[in-house]
Amino acid sequence: MNRQALDDLKRQILLLDYLQAHDWRPTRRISRGRLMGLCPLHPDHQPSFLVDPLKSLFYCYGCGRGGDVIRFAELYHQVKFPQALSMLHQWRGLAPLLHEVAGFYRIQLDRHSEAVEYLYRRGVRSPELIEHMQIGYAPGGCVRSWLMQLGHSIATLREAGLVTAGGYDAFIHRIVFPLEGNLYGRSISASAPPHRFLPGAKGGLYAWEHARRYPEVILVEGLFDYAALGQAGFHNVTCAMGNQLNLHQYRQICDRPRTVYLAFDADANGSGQKAAQSLACRLTEQGINVRTISLPDGHDPNSFFVQGGDAQQFQSLLEAAQ
Ligand SMILES: [Zn+2]
């Protein structure tokens, strides 16, 4: 890739946009429009990460690293230069598209009573929470034509995984949650596989930039667990979208000493418990204080609340966790 192409890429992807899309928030503004915030590259307790949005450059006074958006992508994703470039290329094409799609699905939710009823059955009722999580609905049979009307090519939609090889919407009858660089779709019909992501990484821990502020964090498997706990007033919650953490999520949760409560599913086959056990070992090695919450048999945090559990009862489970 020549100098000109690199400069084009950097002009098209502003560092601040990229940081914000990865949940970075400035904590204060300093002279000449520059911003300070917590460093996403090392365990940071007081803002030491300096961003100059005009020059699209960063420098961290804590870990001493700095550079442009490509350097940031290398460090953040722990990849080499060529991989960082291809991730940025993909992100440049995908981020605005996913943002559009999530907005479209958000509107569909209010138009499809079967989706709203499903959310009710799963105990998700708070309009504020639905808005906050940007929960949407993919009815199927409409996103392809809508996006093509907006000028996107079928090739782009296939590459993003929004449309299947056969040309149909990939998400049909699914509740949709926007993630960092992906979408998660939960089928509302029993005949389809329940969980589906677009191709590519599932991203970091859900809402991590918010949860990381707490010295005690509750880690759950699913976004419906996250939603149920949020509604019950627990805000120190994050979600791994599954019971296996990817490397990025693992590094996030280990970014400083803290207590992590594992609230994984109490599956009949014991898979949630096993995953929790092995994760607990790995986190403990990193100096994390781990507590495992024992839910009643066959329950996950979502079903615990749906079947009448309340915040006080969950608080007792937290206090009993070991
Ligand atoms: Zn740093």
Side-chain angles (χ1 to χ4, degrees):
M1 202 173 181
N2 61 31
R3 184 83 241 163
Q4 179 66 42
L6 285 179
D7 287 344
D8 285 348
L9 183 70
K10 285 193 270 185
R11 214 181 40 248
Q12 287 162 348
I13 304 180
L14 298 177
L15 176 65
L16 185 60
D17 288 345
Y18 193 71
L19 288 168
Q20 287 177 333
H22 290 78
D23 275 343
W24 185 79
R25 301 287 174 265
T27 52
R28 65 193 171 94
R29 192 172 283 279
I30 56 172
S31 61
R32 298 198 295 281
R34 294 171 305 166
L35 306 163
M36 293 295 294
L38 291 172
C39 177
L41 305 173
H42 87 275
D44 201 7
H45 310 294
Q46 50 194 19
S48 43
F49 191 76
L50 170 83
V51 176
D52 187 331
L54 292 175
K55 295 183 181 154
S56 259
L57 294 172
F58 72 95
Y59 180 75
C60 175
Y61 291 97
C63 60
R65 292 178 289 188
D68 57 20
V69 69
I70 305 173
R71 182 69 185 136
F72 179 79
E74 278 182 287
L75 293 166
Y76 186 75
H77 300 290
Q78 291 195 312
V79 296
K80 293 202 180 351
F81 187 78
Q83 272 169 292
L85 282 186
S86 77
M87 289 174 92
L88 287 170
H89 274 293
Q90 204 204 352
W91 186 83
R92 178 182 56 186
L94 203 56
L97 180 62
L98 291 189
H99 186 75
E100 270 177 323
V101 173
F104 177 77
Y105 285 151
R106 175 71 194 86
I107 292 166
Q108 300 306 315
L109 180 71
D110 300 323
R111 294 184 181 165
H112 290 84
S113 58
E114 70 272 25
V116 177
E117 279 160 23
Y118 179 86
L119 287 181
Y120 261 66
R121 280 206 302 284
R122 299 293 305 267
V124 180
R125 290 159 195 212
S126 149
E128 293 79 25
L129 185 87
I130 292 171
E131 198 51 47
H132 170 71
M133 294 181 78
Q134 287 290 301
I135 301 175
Y137 179 60
C142 57
V143 87
R144 177 194 144 147
S145 51
W146 180 72
L147 286 170
M148 288 184 75
Q149 271 172 29
L150 292 181
H152 297 282
S153 72
I154 185 82
T156 306
L157 305 185
R158 280 207 185 104
E159 203 177 323
L162 290 162
V163 167
T164 64
Y168 299 102
D169 286 13
F171 282 8
I172 298 173
H173 300 156
R174 283 178 191 273
I175 302 290
V176 177
F177 297 84
L179 308 175
E180 176 191 303
N182 208 321
L183 296 176
Y184 165 71
R186 174 63 167 91
S187 174
I188 67 167
S189 97
S191 57
H195 312 291
R196 188 151 193 186
F197 295 89
L198 297 180
K202 64 183 172 181
L205 291 167
Y206 191 79
W208 181 240
E209 228 16 68
H210 177 80
R212 70 181 283 190
R213 295 181 220 155
Y214 295 90
E216 300 190 335
V217 168
I218 304 170
L219 175 65
V220 298
E221 278 185 42
L223 289 167
F224 283 96
D225 302 325
Y226 175 94
L229 280 163
Q231 279 185 165
F234 294 91
H235 300 299
N236 55 331
V237 186
T238 187
C239 170
M241 283 81 67
N243 60 27
Q244 306 289 332
L245 270 62
N246 62 29
L247 180 63
H248 177 35
Q249 294 175 330
Y250 183 69
R251 279 171 47 221
Q252 286 178 315
I253 209 152
C254 294
D255 70 355
R256 67 159 166 149
R258 56 161 58 86
T259 298
V260 175
Y261 290 90
L262 300 179
F264 284 4
D265 304 2
D267 307 309
N269 64 10
S271 64
Q273 295 90 320
K274 263 186 224 142
Q277 231 169 34
S278 92
L279 179 61
C281 288
R282 290 170 61 206
L283 293 178
T284 306
E285 282 168 15
Q286 297 297 317
I288 301 290
N289 181 23
V290 184
R291 299 260 181 277
T292 306
I293 297 174
S294 288
L295 289 158
D297 276 349
H299 276 286
D300 56 35
N302 179 266
S303 63
F304 176 83
F305 285 102
V306 168
Q307 295 190 11
D310 61 25
Q312 208 177 346
Q313 289 166 337
F314 194 83
Q315 185 60 38
S316 307
L317 292 180
L318 280 176
E319 283 159 19
Q322 43 187 306

